[in-house]
Amino acid sequence: MPAIQLTPAQRKEKRADAHHLDPVVMIGADGLTAAVTKEVDAALKAHGLIKVRVMSDDRQGREEILAALADQLDAAPIQHIGKLLVLWRPVPEKEKAVKEDARPAPKTVKIVKFSKSGNNRPQIKKVTVLGNQRVTQGGEVKRAKKPRQTSVKKSSMGQ
């Protein structure tokens, strides 16, 4: 897979965003292994913009690691400064699982009852209303009205 190509302005913006980041993956003496590539891929999926620290003193080796990671993981090489490598890849959107049998969640409702004489303070009460409940005009919590079920036998007998 080829690496993502960015314009210099986009690369500059990503460098600025990566400035405050800490390295999330460290590459040790073994160099670029399959396990390291897998971890970098997981970090790119989670964060999008990451820093990788390479413990090697070989500058050419670090440049090769940056190019190899960018090529293998379809990422954009943003920066190589010292022993730090910065990579970016757009974060894939997560799919939300839609539950077929989901019901409305409980809500907290504030009920205000004013006093009959205007001299006293209103009473404020917080009530949790479940999905099958409703608040009446008087401030009481009741079960929601269901459509009335009629008997199939009775409706066919009357005809």
Side-chain angles (χ1 to χ4, degrees), residues 1-2 64 105 139:
M1 291 183 275
E64 290 171 4

PDB file of all heavy atoms in Angstrom, residues 1-2 64 105 139:
ATOM      1  N   MET A   1       0.842  -1.180   0.000  1.00  0.00           N
ATOM      2  CA  MET A   1       0.000   0.000   0.000  1.00  0.00           C
ATOM      3  C   MET A   1       0.890   1.247   0.000  1.00  0.00           C
ATOM      4  O   MET A   1       1.821   1.345   0.790  1.00  0.00           O
ATOM      5  CB  MET A   1      -0.884   0.017   1.248  1.00  0.00           C
ATOM      6  CG  MET A   1      -1.957  -1.040   1.286  1.00  0.00           C
ATOM      7  SD  MET A   1      -3.009  -0.892   2.727  1.00  0.00           S
ATOM      8  CE  MET A   1      -2.035  -1.817   3.907  1.00  0.00           C
ATOM      9  N   PRO A   2       0.593   2.205  -0.840  1.00  0.00           N
ATOM     10  CA  PRO A   2       1.409   3.414  -0.863  1.00  0.00           C
ATOM     11  C   PRO A   2       1.075   4.324   0.315  1.00  0.00           C
ATOM     12  O   PRO A   2      -0.033   4.297   0.849  1.00  0.00           O
ATOM     13  CB  PRO A   2       1.023   4.077  -2.184  1.00  0.00           C
ATOM     14  CG  PRO A   2      -0.350   3.574  -2.472  1.00  0.00           C
ATOM     15  CD  PRO A   2      -0.411   2.190  -1.895  1.00  0.00           C
ATOM     16  N   GLU A  64      14.603   4.563   7.230  1.00  0.00           N
ATOM     17  CA  GLU A  64      14.063   3.372   6.568  1.00  0.00           C
ATOM     18  C   GLU A  64      12.854   2.830   7.337  1.00  0.00           C
ATOM     19  O   GLU A  64      11.868   2.390   6.728  1.00  0.00           O
ATOM     20  CB  GLU A  64      15.144   2.296   6.450  1.00  0.00           C
ATOM     21  CG  GLU A  64      16.235   2.643   5.472  1.00  0.00           C
ATOM     22  CD  GLU A  64      17.404   1.673   5.519  1.00  0.00           C
ATOM     23  OE1 GLU A  64      17.330   0.670   6.282  1.00  0.00           O
ATOM     24  OE2 GLU A  64      18.392   1.925   4.810  1.00  0.00           O
ATOM     25  N   ALA A 105     -34.376   5.318  27.390  1.00  0.00           N
ATOM     26  CA  ALA A 105     -33.614   5.335  28.633  1.00  0.00           C
ATOM     27  C   ALA A 105     -34.349   6.146  29.697  1.00  0.00           C
ATOM     28  O   ALA A 105     -35.184   6.994  29.376  1.00  0.00           O
ATOM     29  CB  ALA A 105     -32.249   5.956  28.387  1.00  0.00           C
ATOM     30  N   GLY A 139     -48.167  16.624  38.168  1.00  0.00           N
ATOM     31  CA  GLY A 139     -46.821  16.330  38.638  1.00  0.00           C
ATOM     32  C   GLY A 139     -46.637  14.912  39.134  1.00  0.00           C
ATOM     33  O   GLY A 139     -45.631  14.604  39.767  1.00  0.00           O
TER      34      GLY A 139
END
